[in-house]
Amino acid sequence: MPSRRTVLAAALLPLAGGARPASAAPKTAQDYYDRAAKLAGDDPVLKALVKALSPDLQMPAVQPVKPFKIFDNVAVVGTTFVQAMALLTSKGVILIDAMGSPDDARKIIIPGLRAVGVNPTHIKYVVAAHGHDDHFGGAQYLADTYGARVMMHKADWDLIAKERPEHAPKRDLEITDGQKLTLGDATIVFHHRPGHTPGTVSPVFPVRWKGRRHTAILWGGTNPPATTAAKRTYLSSVRTAAVAMRKAGVDVELNNHGGADYGLTRIEQLRAGATKNPFIIGPARTQRFMKVMETMLRGRILQDQQKAASGRSTPTCC
């Protein structure tokens, strides 16, 4: 009678022998990009993400975007390049991102909020999702005008203190990983997701559509950073975020660069009278979104490695 060890070895033989996995491991960056495209399929949100994370991305010309309430309690203002989102609560407004300058605050954010029935004097907090000037440029103007508090992760407060960019806000409130901010009937949970910058945060918060509650994440920084090490950090953040999103039941995906996730088109679909909110993509699609992002980043990292091996330098990024 064969021993238990013999039976086990025989059972494992097909796996250890000539049998091949269903799909070979990617060997080139393009293999990863192709795999991400296959994951995306014909989903316009995921296809836009593949394009946004591609190394040959070309930014479109900047055009104004007519402000719009994409949820009962979320308004979007901005341009085709970058947007700010206002979370409307029973005790005031939490503004996530402040575009690029005091002029943007005066000419786009404030009149944009008024156009959708939001009083800008009710802005209590301005959250900079990360420390690039197209996200904090109008923050100090809003703080000076309305007394709003400005929030950013410590790592990016340090970043702007070092780089001293134009229109940088005065150092104010520091965001920590897992921190909660409650204003009226809404609570935001801040998740530190470094990579795009050292202090990028991706807030998770409740949204309502026709009175029904959903859970949204706003991905705080999409474009891959310049260095391979930072890309690896970004990859780790994506994988950690996917787990946290599953636990939180995230079913809404938002981005502060609406061109990166089909968001601009989805706004126009709502403006045209869509009965279903296209930002509500469900938990399964939010997980696919993160898997596409992970796959594209793996390709970008491998592309860096291949360039390094061939002696070519990787160009710096914005």
Side-chain angles (χ1 to χ4, degrees):
M1 186 174 189
S3 68
R4 181 178 178 186
R5 181 177 294 178
T6 303
V7 171
L8 181 59
L12 293 176
L13 187 59
L15 297 178
R20 295 187 173 221
S23 58
K27 295 181 180 180
T28 69
Q30 190 59 50
D31 289 340
Y32 277 110
Y33 303 151
D34 292 344
R35 179 170 287 190
K38 186 174 182 180
L39 279 169
D42 60 359
D43 187 321
V45 175
L46 303 186
K47 287 172 67 176
L49 181 63
V50 170
K51 182 178 179 181
L53 294 173
S54 297
D56 56 352
L57 174 67
Q58 298 294 319
M59 298 304 296
V62 178
Q63 301 291 335
V65 171
K66 188 177 179 181
F68 195 75
K69 287 180 71 173
I70 60 172
F71 285 93
D72 301 348
N73 62 329
V74 177
V76 178
V77 296
T79 67
T80 51
F81 173 64
V82 65
Q83 301 85 48
M85 294 196 185
L87 177 61
L88 316 177
T89 84
S90 59
K91 296 293 185 180
V93 175
I94 301 172
L95 185 70
I96 304 175
D97 289 331
M99 302 188 65
S101 68
D103 270 356
D104 285 345
R106 284 192 296 265
K107 298 177 182 180
I108 298 176
I109 294 175
I110 291 172
L113 291 176
R114 286 178 174 146
V116 293
V118 178
N119 188 338
T121 66
H122 294 167
I123 299 173
K124 304 300 182 184
Y125 297 93
V126 179
V127 177
H130 67 263
H132 285 160
D133 59 3
D134 54 326
H135 298 272
F136 64 65
Q140 191 61 51
Y141 178 84
L142 296 170
D144 292 341
T145 304
Y146 302 121
R149 303 298 302 272
V150 180
M151 304 182 69
M152 196 184 310
H153 190 274
K154 178 183 184 300
D156 278 8
W157 279 122
D158 292 345
L159 177 68
I160 65 175
K162 178 181 178 181
E163 296 183 346
R164 302 179 68 181
E166 189 178 15
H167 309 313
K170 298 173 185 175
R171 193 161 190 148
D172 194 2
L173 301 178
E174 293 184 356
I175 295 171
T176 58
D177 185 39
Q179 176 184 344
K180 295 181 179 180
L181 171 65
T182 298
L183 183 65
D185 56 355
T187 297
I188 288 183
V189 182
F190 295 109
H191 296 275
H192 182 211
R193 299 292 178 241
H196 182 73
T197 64
T200 298
V201 294
S202 294
V204 171
F205 51 93
V207 297
R208 295 188 305 276
W209 175 246
K210 298 183 178 180
R212 185 171 181 177
R213 181 187 169 106
H214 297 270
T215 302
I217 186 170
L218 189 151
W219 193 250
T222 303
N223 195 33
T227 69
T228 306
K231 288 185 181 76
R232 289 195 178 103
T233 298
Y234 191 169
L235 175 62
S236 178
S237 290
V238 168
R239 298 183 69 184
T240 302
V243 175
M245 289 162 61
R246 187 182 299 113
K247 290 180 179 178
V250 170
D251 61 345
V252 172
E253 175 276 323
L254 303 172
N255 197 293
N256 45 24
H257 288 282
D261 69 341
Y262 204 61
L264 297 175
T265 301
R266 289 189 275 176
I267 291 172
E268 296 312 312
Q269 289 172 346
L270 284 170
R271 200 191 310 276
T275 55
K276 292 184 178 180
N277 191 315
F279 288 99
I280 304 171
I281 63 175
R285 278 176 77 196
T286 61
Q287 289 297 307
R288 280 180 63 204
F289 187 95
M290 302 308 291
K291 191 64 179 179
V292 167
M293 191 181 295
E294 175 188 339
T295 306
M296 289 298 296
L297 284 168
R298 290 187 183 278
R300 295 293 295 270
I301 290 168
L302 184 54
Q303 184 167 330
D304 283 358
Q305 294 169 336
Q306 291 169 336
K307 285 181 178 179
S310 67
R312 289 179 291 158
S313 62
T314 301
T316 57
C317 177
C318 54

